Amino acid sequence: MTTPQLTKNQSLVFDVLEKAEGPLSAYTILDKLRDHGFRAPLQVYRALEKLLEYGVVHRLESINSFVACAHPGDNCHSHGIVAFAICESCGQVMEFHDHEVDHRLMGWVRGQKFKPEKTTIEIRGLCEACAA
Amino acid sequence: MTTPQLTKNQSLVFDVLEKAEGPLSAYTILDKLRDHGFRAPLQVYRALEKLLEYGVVHRLESINSFVACAHPGDNCHSHGIVAFAICESCGQVMEFHDHEVDHRLMGWVRGQKFKPEKTTIEIRGLCEACAA
DNA sequence: GCAATTGATGTAATAACATAACATCTGCAA
DNA sequence: TTGCAGATGTTATGTTATTACATCAATTGC
Ligand SMILES: [Zn+2]
Ligand SMILES: [Zn+2]
Ligand SMILES: [Zn+2]
Ligand SMILES: [Zn+2]
């Protein structure tokens, strides 16, 4: 997915996520953008929908939050499953992918004749700093 | 985790999930149990909390729903990560685990000195019947 | 120029998911 | 019998996400 020029609202939402230390909920983003004219959740959700489509933002299903992609300008997401390690203490998110994991999971679903559309891998725990 | 005798509410919730074709939301469970005296979401959420703790029910993060474990009486969950394939058309859920996937993911997090607590792997797509 | 179309935006209302706070009950142990 | 712990009942509230409808702006074809 090539990323077209972002609209005003998309840019505002993306900038908030890029500057954030960790993942943010849609309503947190809304609050941060009230000074810029945002009034309703839909302004955030609509921007996020596009940013997800362009692959520059990820949704973390297990914490109902959104994070800017850690691999800007990289097209690696189109080749495999992205996995996340999420620190439950400080919110830091690490993003990675592993072709062997992809291979095992996709091999299993193929054996079941299951047609995968979207795969979520999220590891919650404590980052090095917080586990100390 | 050994499963103690279930309480009345826990049994009701578990029975609903066991008889269901697929995953159910907490509020769907609530509606199915109104005839049995359930009135409030908390009655469901409290029962689910225990059932999750006992490992007899799983939460599907990506669809905010709950499903009875497909491996009754099995303790395999204590040895690894459980993965789910969820049909977005009919709701059917397949549950499996793969030690190689566990190994790769845990190897990666160990390299990052990240301490994992709970891992989610969910594949949404179409089952064989629905993809046809 | 000027409709027609398309995509983006604004706004209000509502739906769906989850928890906080507090009271009560029940079984069991000191 | 009293105290405690766990389960339950109830109300209210908090959090996340979508529906419905109106408006606006840029583009296209005439
Ligand atoms: Zn990414
Ligand atoms: Zn941390
Ligand atoms: Zn299971
Ligand atoms: Zn299906």
Side-chain angles (χ1 to χ4, degrees), chain B residues 2-129:
Chain B
T2 172
T3 306
Q5 184 64 36
L6 298 185
T7 68
K8 179 164 149 288
N9 284 4
Q10 289 161 20
S11 293
L12 288 167
V13 169
F14 183 65
D15 287 351
V16 165
L17 282 174
E18 269 221 309
K19 286 170 186 141
E21 297 281 326
L24 300 178
S25 76
Y27 278 75
T28 302
I29 296 170
L30 174 58
D31 286 339
K32 288 180 181 291
L33 288 175
R34 291 201 188 274
D35 292 345
H36 291 78
F38 273 46
R39 310 292 309 277
L42 214 52
Q43 294 174 285
V44 177
Y45 282 109
R46 284 201 280 229
L48 286 172
E49 185 178 28
K50 289 298 183 183
L51 296 171
L52 290 168
E53 185 183 323
Y54 303 152
V56 296
V57 162
H58 299 292
R59 177 191 176 91
L60 301 176
E61 308 279 0
S62 65
I63 58 173
N64 296 320
S65 293
F66 303 85
V67 68
C69 177
H71 304 144
D74 195 337
N75 66 346
C76 65
H77 296 112
S78 51
H79 304 287
I81 299 164
V82 184
F84 301 91
I86 306 164
C87 177
E88 294 186 292
S89 173
C90 70
Q92 175 191 126
V93 174
M94 286 179 288
E95 181 181 336
F96 66 104
H97 61 126
D98 181 307
H99 285 292
E100 179 62 15
V101 169
D102 295 13
H103 187 252
R104 298 286 300 185
L105 291 179
M106 293 307 105
W108 187 87
V109 299
R110 194 165 42 247
Q112 306 295 314
K113 303 218 190 315
F114 186 92
K115 184 168 173 255
E117 297 287 353
K118 178 85 179 75
T119 298
T120 295
I121 301 180
E122 298 177 15
I123 306 169
R124 277 100 69 217
L126 294 175
C127 73
E128 180 174 11

Side-chain angles (χ1 to χ4, degrees), chain A residues 4-72:
Chain A
Q5 185 64 37
L6 299 184
T7 67
K8 178 164 150 288
N9 284 3
Q10 289 161 17
S11 293
L12 287 166
V13 169
F14 184 65
D15 287 350
V16 166
L17 283 174
E18 269 221 309
K19 287 170 186 142
E21 296 283 324
L24 300 178
S25 76
Y27 279 76
T28 301
I29 296 169
L30 173 58
D31 286 340
K32 287 179 181 291
L33 288 175
R34 289 200 189 276
D35 292 345
H36 291 78
F38 274 44
R39 310 292 309 275
L42 212 53
Q43 294 175 286
V44 176
Y45 281 108
R46 285 201 280 229
L48 286 172
E49 185 178 28
K50 289 299 183 181
L51 295 171
L52 290 167
E53 186 183 323
Y54 303 152
V56 296
V57 161
H58 299 292
R59 176 192 179 93
L60 302 176
E61 307 279 1
S62 64
I63 56 172
N64 295 318
S65 294
F66 303 85
V67 69
C69 176
H71 304 145

